[in-house]
Amino acid sequence: MSYTTQMDAARKGIITKEMTIVAEKEKMDVNVLMKKIAEGKVVIPANKNHHSLDPEGVGEGLRTKINVNLGISKDCPNFDSELEKVRMALDMKAEAIMDLSSFGKTEEFRKELIGMSPAMIGTVPIYDAVGFYDKELSDITEKEFLDVVEKHGRDGVDFVTIHAGINKETAAVFKRNKRLTNIVSRGGSLIYAWMELNNKENPFFEYYDELLEICAKYDITISLGDACRPGSINDATDASQIKELMILGELTLRAWEKNVQVMIEGPGHMPLNEIVANMIIEKKLCHGAPFYVLGPLVTDVAPGYDHITSAIGGAIAASYGADFLCYVTPAEHLRLPTIEDMREGIIASKIAAHAADIAKNIPGAISWDYEMSKARQQLNWERMFELAIDPEKARRYRKESSPEHEDSCTMCGKMCSMRNMNKVMEGKNINILREDD
């Protein structure tokens, strides 16, 4: 029995090799996983042409995954530098990489990235369109937009962000309901500008059926982009955001009719107290499809520290239903991130994802923390480093400030509670002011 996509296989009762791998990673019965894929609650982004892929699942009951954004820009077109970032992201076990290249050798970079990456690869095809055709935005035709998606599919891209929800209806709501920061999604703003300049419907909405045919052909997971995501906490949960989310819910059902896997993209900037409601609304309006969030960033006043504002929001969002976190670096809003910015962003996002997995009772999540606590109780520093989310930094901090006594650290010395409690529990004396007996 043949199948076109992972969803098509699941609906036919076929267990694919990708399902088997994901089920083993997630400690989930493969038949349970298959049912979730058939229902659209889990996706396995796995383009048929991505031969180096080590598949991952995204969605209900699975570990929270993280994505790393990188790519070549006009101001920073260093091909080799971006490949170095790719290698770091892979070394740090990011489950996904989005190539957001918008200038120069985009095709060459994308093909090399896909060829070397076991992580799933995503793109935003509209970023590539201007450079690919060497045309101004307004001169690109509807067919040309779709042809770029097809090209990315042939190259092996596993998921594509498509801003199909910013149609004429959504645009009208946006115009009637003024926002502080307007449309901050880069892809969303490009689509909106194209619509306004040409006085036409969004081509990805108007030709959505043709888009789905391309996605089904290569088993590209469509990541329905949030053009109207809030770019400030002032704009969170407003009419434009909710209107677009309603459209995305309708587009989700249309995709599922064609056996195309779907993720939904979400906010953005958002106050802490609105995050839980947004997770509930998204899951309700979009029929349980996996939710992919940027942040949410819980305050607007921390440039240089937005990996922290994002991790706070991401942990809350994922613990209440978000399935996939897009990392944010300290360079957000300021510049293209450096290697070190990337490292900090990945670590912050991994912390948020793991904290959420504990809250969601994902199998095996809390056992990691148990092992760390046991190593701390035993003052087993080497084991602590092995278990650390960032072993390199933990080792460096320990080395940079060496204690007098190896069973302590320079914060507490011989007053270390772990050290002293271990001695007392073993019936030993505690010598704080003099050498041990």
Side-chain angles (χ1 to χ4, degrees):
M1 189 184 297
S2 62
Y3 61 91
T4 55
T5 67
Q6 295 291 325
M7 175 174 265
D8 182 36
R11 288 173 168 176
K12 291 175 176 175
I14 300 171
I15 296 173
T16 66
K17 68 178 187 297
E18 291 83 6
M19 292 180 203
T20 302
I21 293 168
V22 170
E24 185 175 340
K25 288 181 178 181
E26 300 289 344
K27 301 179 178 61
M28 177 179 283
D29 183 285
V30 71
N31 290 292
V32 173
L33 177 67
M34 182 173 65
K35 182 174 184 292
K36 289 179 182 290
I37 294 169
E39 294 171 343
K41 293 178 179 177
V42 166
V43 298
I44 300 179
N47 187 309
K48 296 170 184 177
N49 293 334
H50 187 178
H51 305 298
S52 61
L53 180 69
D54 183 8
E56 295 281 357
V58 177
E60 183 181 270
L62 309 186
R63 290 178 296 108
T64 306
K65 307 305 187 299
I66 71 163
N67 170 71
V68 171
N69 289 340
L70 44 76
I72 300 164
S73 72
K74 187 171 184 178
D75 288 318
C76 298
N78 192 314
F79 189 103
D80 293 333
S81 174
E82 291 308 297
L83 284 178
E84 187 180 353
K85 292 177 184 178
V86 170
R87 286 187 279 272
M88 171 177 278
L90 296 175
D91 287 345
M92 295 183 73
K93 308 299 182 186
E95 289 90 3
I97 296 174
M98 285 201 78
D99 174 16
L100 305 187
S101 294
S102 57
F103 178 79
K105 303 176 185 177
T106 56
E107 181 177 357
E108 183 181 343
F109 180 80
R110 183 171 59 251
K111 286 183 175 179
E112 186 153 351
L113 168 62
I114 292 167
M116 70 190 288
S117 177
M120 53 184 153
I121 301 300
T123 60
V124 187
I126 193 171
Y127 293 177
D128 194 30
V130 175
F132 183 75
Y133 292 114
D134 193 23
K135 286 183 176 183
E136 287 300 328
L137 176 68
S138 60
D139 297 330
I140 299 173
T141 67
E142 294 93 328
K143 183 179 184 303
E144 286 172 334
F145 279 125
L146 292 175
D147 286 347
V148 170
V149 179
E150 173 101 33
K151 169 64 178 163
H152 286 211
R154 281 198 304 272
D155 290 345
V157 171
D158 301 298
F159 65 99
V160 290
T161 293
I162 302 291
H163 298 89
I166 179 71
N167 61 3
K168 285 188 173 182
E169 283 184 49
T170 308
V173 171
F174 164 71
K175 290 174 184 177
R176 291 197 305 269
N177 296 268
K178 299 301 180 185
R179 299 179 116 192
L180 179 62
T181 49
N182 295 313
I183 294 176
V184 300
S185 159
R186 182 171 21 161
S189 67
L190 291 173
I191 284 290
Y192 180 80
W194 186 94
M195 292 166 64
E196 290 293 296
L197 292 168
N198 289 287
N199 193 28
K200 288 184 176 181
E201 179 60 279
N202 179 342
F204 292 119
F205 180 81
E206 185 171 2
Y207 297 98
Y208 191 62
D209 287 337
E210 289 83 348
L211 173 67
L212 294 177
E213 289 174 11
I214 296 169
C215 291
K217 181 177 178 181
Y218 301 98
D219 198 1
I220 306 170
T221 297
I222 187 166
S223 187
L224 289 170
D226 52 337
C228 293
R229 69 170 180 263
S232 63
I233 60 174
N234 184 84
D235 295 339
T237 326
D238 70 350
S240 298
Q241 181 195 336
I242 300 304
K243 174 61 180 178
E244 183 180 35
L245 194 58
M246 293 168 66
I247 299 295
L248 298 186
E250 295 172 359
L251 294 174
T252 297
L253 294 179
R254 288 176 60 185
W256 287 348
E257 288 174 2
K258 305 280 189 180
N259 290 316
V260 172
Q261 300 185 98
V262 176
M263 296 188 291
I264 306 295
E265 297 187 12
H269 294 236
M270 181 161 290
L272 278 171
N273 59 305
E274 295 184 21
I275 293 174
V276 176
N278 268 264
M279 299 306 107
I280 295 170
I281 291 169
E282 183 280 335
K283 288 288 183 174
K284 183 73 173 177
L285 292 179
C286 296
H287 319 288
F291 200 17
Y292 174 26
V293 297
L294 177 69
L297 283 69
V298 296
T299 177
D300 299 333
V301 299
Y305 298 91
D306 277 328
H307 59 311
I308 298 173
T309 65
S310 170
I312 293 168
I316 297 169
S319 64
Y320 283 93
D323 307 287
F324 195 14
L325 302 180
C326 185
Y327 92 147
V328 172
T329 77
E332 185 79 4
H333 303 111
L334 300 172
R335 68 178 186 198
L336 193 75
T338 64
I339 282 279
E340 188 52 38
D341 293 331
M342 274 191 62
R343 173 181 287 278
E344 291 191 41
I346 292 170
I347 293 297
S349 190
K350 286 169 76 79
I351 292 168
H354 179 61
D357 287 349
I358 294 170
K360 289 192 285 193
N361 202 27
I362 297 297
I366 202 166
S367 61
W368 184 6
D369 295 73
Y370 178 86
E371 290 301 317
M372 176 62 87
S373 296
K374 186 165 71 173
R376 283 181 173 147
Q377 184 273 323
Q378 295 170 347
L379 294 169
N380 185 341
W381 297 98
E382 189 58 37
R383 180 62 173 154
M384 288 185 235
F385 299 149
E386 291 172 1
L387 291 165
I389 213 162
D390 185 359
E392 181 181 316
K393 188 172 186 178
R395 288 180 189 277
R396 175 165 56 84
Y397 271 35
R398 174 77 174 168
K399 186 177 180 180
E400 287 174 352
S401 186
S402 299
E404 181 182 359
H405 298 274
E406 280 300 311
D407 60 352
S408 65
C409 75
T410 54
M411 177 71 179
C412 299
K414 292 180 73 174
M415 288 188 182
C416 171
S417 59
M418 290 291 189
R419 175 184 186 273
N420 291 333
M421 285 303 299
N422 287 346
K423 285 180 176 291
V424 169
M425 298 295 284
E426 293 168 7
K428 296 179 180 179
N429 191 19
I430 298 173
N431 297 321
I432 295 175
L433 299 179
R434 62 187 185 279
E435 291 300 317
D436 294 340
D437 297 331

